[in-house]
Amino acid sequence: MKQKARIRFTNKDRSKFFTTLKANVDSYFEENKLSKHANAHMVWKTIILISGFLLPYFTLLLIHENAWQLLLSFSVMGFCMAGIGMSVMHDAAHNAYTSNATLNRYLSYSLNLIGGAVFNWKIQHNVLHHTYTNIHGMDDDIDSKMLMRFSPHGKHRGIHRFQHIYIFFFYSIITLYWVTFKDFIQYVTFRKNGMNRGSAAEHRKNLFILIASKAIYYFYLLVVPLVFFHYSVGIFVCGFITMHLICGLILSVIFQLAHTVEGTSYPVPNEKSEVENDWAIHQMHTTVDFARDNKFITWYIGGLNFQVEHHLFPNICHVHYKNLAPIVKSTAEEFGIPYLDNPSFGDAVASHLRALKKFGMSTEEALMAV
């Protein structure tokens, strides 16, 4: 498998935007005597979301639930499962939850608790997505699949013309694919393409953790209830799938609304593998905030609606993003840099669907429409 190229960003205009912005953000924390990491609000949210996932599980073990009760329990688990990924694991994997690296590492393993593999996530998300946002062939989040095309530069197939109609079905099954096949595929892919440069011993350790995590996940979620608590296989598996449909749909939609919408750009590196822009300005052109005034969305999705702020400052806990947004916006305006924002969740979803419809066109049509 071909190794991924090393793309470089060139600050051709010698912009002082990010230097100025970092100084402004640092001043905010210093003047208000605040830590850049989690506060009590974040700790309580962590307890609520993890409890919301674990308590229904233990309840269905202690009380032999009927079909409707079981579906309700799994629905709550799916909702909280997505919340853990967005609000707890995400910050911890970025070392934003706390200044304690060990605690961040343990909290990031909450992804393994819900069926994923955090070492794969850090490569796909922290490295590829955050560094090469919306660059085709580098950002795995916009990598075109057989039936999905998220970039005007991805391979076009005729079926893509209908993707804005059927896309939510594939969004809903994404975590089922994740907990069964995706992590193993990524483990092999990242080794072959040079993104995982660990030693042989580290590879063996990661593979062991990957296999053990999957085994534990399926054991406690399926084997224990079915074998030791004698649930009906059909009903229980339906509940398990329902949990993943809810979680997958929420996660997929939220992450897509920040980049695969109208107004974002999809830069193409030049022949020297360079993107002719400052990295921070590149983030401003490829990332969009949404529903910033919706308190529940902000709480539940871990501030991912403040995606501009997150991409510029991924090591700052998301509880601070709402207060950082005016600083980012005013600094961007000072330098004549766009600050992209969809006012509501509905606006963002509609923009995403329109973007998918454009990407469903032929390459020539899609490039003209973007």
Side-chain angles (χ1 to χ4, degrees), residues 130-141:
H130 269 264
T131 307
Y132 308 110
T133 311
N134 278 16
I135 298 177
H136 176 66
M138 295 299 297
D139 182 357
D140 276 15
D141 284 14

Side-chain angles (χ1 to χ4, degrees), residues 149-152 156 160-161 163 260-261 264 266 354-362 366 370:
R149 190 186 192 212
F150 299 123
S151 165
H156 179 260
H160 291 150
R161 289 188 178 274
Q163 65 176 0
T260 312
V261 291
T264 54
Y266 298 81
R354 289 193 294 268
L356 288 178
K357 191 172 183 179
K358 292 176 183 178
F359 297 155
M361 302 174 182
S362 68
V370 173

Side-chain angles (χ1 to χ4, degrees), residues 231-353:
Y231 272 97
S232 165
V233 173
I235 294 174
F236 201 85
V237 170
C238 282
F240 178 80
I241 292 174
T242 297
M243 176 185 73
H244 274 286
L245 294 179
I246 292 171
C247 180
L249 183 61
I250 293 171
L251 288 177
S252 298
V253 169
I254 294 303
F255 278 101
Q256 291 295 348
L257 295 187
H259 303 285
T260 312
V261 291
E262 296 172 305
T264 54
S265 62
Y266 298 81
V268 177
N270 61 25
E271 64 279 359
K272 297 179 181 179
S273 295
E274 295 175 337
V275 174
E276 297 178 357
N277 208 348
D278 175 75
W279 171 84
I281 298 175
H282 168 82
Q283 298 301 321
M284 300 296 291
H285 283 277
T286 57
T287 309
V288 183
D289 280 0
F290 62 92
R292 294 186 303 164
D293 295 327
N294 190 311
K295 292 182 179 179
F296 173 73
I297 286 179
T298 299
W299 182 89
Y300 172 59
I301 71 173
L304 291 178
N305 50 329
F306 290 90
Q307 192 76 188
V308 172
E309 290 69 29
H310 171 61
H311 267 252
L312 293 171
F313 301 101
N315 300 125
I316 294 178
C317 185
H318 73 261
V319 295
H320 303 292
Y321 289 160
K322 184 174 180 60
N323 291 331
L324 296 185
I327 300 173
V328 176
K329 184 175 182 179
S330 63
T331 307
E333 290 174 348
E334 177 186 343
F335 283 83
I337 296 169
Y339 182 91
L340 305 177
D341 172 42
N342 278 311
S344 72
F345 179 77
D347 291 330
V349 171
S351 181
H352 174 54
L353 290 175

